[in-house]
Amino acid sequence: MSENPYPNYSPGLQGIIGGVTKISKIVSDTSSLTYRGINVHELAENGSFEETAFLLLHGYLPNSHQLSDFKQRMAAESALPDEVISALGLLPKHMHPMDALKYAYSLLAGFDEDYEAMDHDANVRKGERIVAKGPTVVAAAYRIMNGKEAIAPDPELSIAANFLYMLHGEKADDFTVKVMDASLTLYAEHTFNASAFACRVTVATLSDIYSGIVTGIGTLKGPLHGGANEKAMEMLLEIGDPDNAEEWIRSALAQKKKIMGFGHREYKKRDSRAIYLTKIGKEIGERKGETKWGEIASTLERVMETEKNIHPNVDFPAAYAYYLLGIPIELYTPIFVIARNSGWAAHAIEQLDNNRLIRPTCIYDGAEGVEWKPIDQR
Ligand code: SDX
């Protein structure tokens, strides 16, 4: 990184504390991630995304009665208004599904019965509706933009199972549903990542939670953030064969390229979510007899570690796990939205519960004392 001319300024706000939260915690040295104090791997392995979403929105794990009621609310709120389905049909077909998501959630705000309300309970109700509609928005937008009819959610299915059903038109097997469910938990929340912080900045002006979600979606789209999972799969497809991997990665590093799915601002060592998803991704490859993506991944991981001491982040294994599950590449980041809606909503609720406008200062580095000149003298 180039010399910083301003000692009390950190480029990219690296290491700068942006706020105080009770939602999640990263311990970089031990690569640990907890949601409301609970280890994310316990949640991913032993729980469900519904339990994770409830935990993030309400602050505690639900008991069986609370979980049952929550699932009923999710089911009741999972359908989209006809007007939103029609509006998705107006989108130019070349647009990325992430742009369709921004558009859909902007519209959905107007159909929310708590549209005007900004109290805590209304924000939690809106947060639940935002989470409930995520899978339907992603699946419907993709199908409509590809000339197919949207499929209505099945109220008997979990969020993960319903997404796969609404996307493909048939129910997925239990293993596929479990992988999708675990990936949603792993993707749900991650302290003050760029999109969560952007969401907090938005609602800190006392704007509404839907505006915060639209900000979050727009921020997550970038390849330095959530968009990396799609770029990582495009990279793996370009490499194509394990025999090409070593030469490809060494050439890319020699050209100073950023390798998508690697590195992280917060983790000094490994992203613990990547460790878990790598295991899953390679298991899927074994099950499907398609181990080459895991083999290419292992080579890239080895070279990145030995040459740059840089490790994969959550987006790298998620890429080939989703590919092996038959998920269209352009939906990898939208799936991140399905999960992260719960984290963003939790941050918006927390910010609004104890709000102060977020407005940093800056260092002026431009010209001084410039003389005004009439236009005929310029
Ligand atoms: C997510 O913040 C979160 O929590 C995000 C997230 C979440 O759950 O919300 O975890 C999700 O966004 C994961 C990150 C996905 N993005 C990518 O995989 C894109 C590729 N990664 C890099 O662009 C980078 O690692 C970042 C953006 C993730 C972090 O960037 P930083 O902290 O600003 O680090 P940097 O770009 O200043 O790099 C520091 C050094 C540089 O080398 P030098 O110029 O000092 O010699 O490390 C190198 C970089 O070149 N480096 C990489 C690299 N990442 C860092 N070199 C090659 N490939 C990489 N991926």
Side-chain angles (χ1 to χ4, degrees), residues 120-149:
H120 173 84
D121 290 347
N123 287 332
V124 172
R125 290 194 298 270
K126 287 194 269 191
E128 287 196 352
R129 294 179 190 124
I130 285 162
V131 171
K133 286 179 168 53
T136 319
V137 172
V138 173
Y142 180 76
R143 288 181 65 89
I144 290 167
M145 291 174 80
N146 284 276
K148 297 178 184 169
E149 290 289 311

Side-chain angles (χ1 to χ4, degrees), residues 1 14 190 193-194 223-226 228 253 257-265 271 273 304 308 310 313-315 336 340:
M1 194 184 313
Q14 178 156 0
H190 212 234
N193 59 86
L224 291 189
H225 191 9
L253 292 178
K257 285 185 178 174
K258 283 277 171 59
I259 311 303
M260 294 292 112
F262 282 85
H264 202 283
R265 177 66 65 79
D271 177 339
R273 302 166 298 174
M304 285 296 283
K308 298 193 67 105
I310 290 178
N313 57 57
V314 64
D315 288 324
F336 201 148
R340 193 55 60 91

Side-chain angles (χ1 to χ4, degrees), residues 271-291:
D271 177 339
S272 64
R273 302 166 298 174
I275 299 167
Y276 185 84
L277 271 178
T278 297
K279 183 164 63 72
I280 289 183
K282 291 183 177 171
E283 182 185 339
I284 302 170
E286 298 290 338
R287 279 170 174 249
K288 296 190 181 266
E290 209 177 326
T291 58

Side-chain angles (χ1 to χ4, degrees), residues 317-333:
Y320 60 89
Y322 287 157
Y323 186 79
L324 287 162
L325 292 181
I327 304 288
I329 293 175
E330 61 266 44
L331 289 188
Y332 293 5
T333 312

